[in-house]
Amino acid sequence: MTVTWSAVDGARILDLTRLLPGAFATMLLADLGADVVKVESPDGGDPSRRVDAEGFAAINRNKRSLALDLRTADGVAAFLRLVATADAVVESFRPGVLDRMGLGYERLRTVNPGIVLCSLSGFGQDGPYAHRPGHDLNFLALAGFFALPHRAGERVDRVGSRVADLAAAMYAALALAVALPGARATRCGQHIDVAAHEAASAWTAPMLLPLRHLATPADSPLVMGDYDLFETADGKRLSLVLFEDRFWLTFRTALAPEFPELGTDAYDTRRERTRHKVAVHALLTKVVAARTLDWWDERLSTVDVAWAPVLDDAAAFQADPHVQARGLVGEASGPGGATVPQVRFPVRFGAGLDTFRRRAPELGEHTEDVLAEVQAPDAGGTAAT
């Protein structure tokens, strides 16, 4: 179960989070060898268990589950015994909730000066929005995500992936991976404040802030007529990225015999394609719509341009030959022992990493084991008394 080359191997992380962001962050660390103990209420545990069992399994693998009622004095006392042997605590309550439970950072550090507390919230631990409720779509709305135009004349719509939640999860995992070795070396912990709104803003800002001087954001050079999804004759879609001059020239030269309208050199420089982005987009829309996706697949497979079919369902994604060749999707144990597909840790390490070492735990499955460990003098830290 160990990942001996990892800086977080064996680090004990107490996970108080629920739902996607915290679970994804701690799963990344668990994949990399951390001993993540998911601390759940005995009354149903993480709500994700009931909403989507397979989704829960996909973001809680390699963890152990401890059922503990933190609303009771006994539960709080048991948790503090765990803190004494832990390296980090990750929580996703609204600001102030952990303090009211008697488990704020100042209390935790009296038990373990080296503890790292990572608070993952919507808007951070202070500021005018700190206590405002929110979810992924709200954070994206306030991060300027929908102010980034993707084509001229159209409003940006929402995406299906929980971008802000996952960005926050990745920043939390990165911050912990950096902070834990330092805390272990110095025995001096810290409180990490991760806000989903700020994580989304960090991903948006490099493209958003340069628009501040433009009266019409779609005038941005990053809004291009040759960088988009286009519909084929059979109602399917392909992605076409021709903003590099070499790709544009290769594409129009190769396709001009079938499409004479591509025989013009008027758009052969990126500057001209950007100036005439609407006309370029209309030209490509007309050309792509004239053939089926299968035709384009066969034709473009012999042309060195940046393109890809749009995979519209999970089955197509799993069947993709590159996904299969890279072993990106593996078989893992899911709800009730069923085998379900999951994406491995999306980095290949030369030293090796087995992503699917342990299935997601049942609620309270490891309660006895975890509590027994903190009573033992050789539990990997200072035994609680």
Side-chain angles (χ1 to χ4, degrees), residues 51-75:
V51 175
D52 179 8
E54 189 169 321
F56 174 87
I59 58 175
N60 285 284
R61 63 181 178 234
N62 296 325
K63 302 178 186 179
R64 299 190 288 170
S65 174
L66 166 66
L68 201 61
D69 190 348
L70 296 179
R71 296 167 298 184
T72 68
D74 287 345

Side-chain angles (χ1 to χ4, degrees), residues 217-252:
D219 289 341
S220 165
L222 295 180
V223 179
M224 297 165 275
D226 51 4
Y227 185 110
D228 211 341
L229 305 183
F230 298 91
E231 188 168 325
T232 60
D234 51 349
K236 299 178 181 178
R237 294 180 297 169
L238 59 82
S239 60
L240 197 56
V241 180
L242 304 175
F243 67 85
E244 294 185 63
D245 288 345
R246 64 190 179 97
F247 287 149
W248 172 265
L249 288 168
T250 298
F251 178 84
R252 81 165 188 82

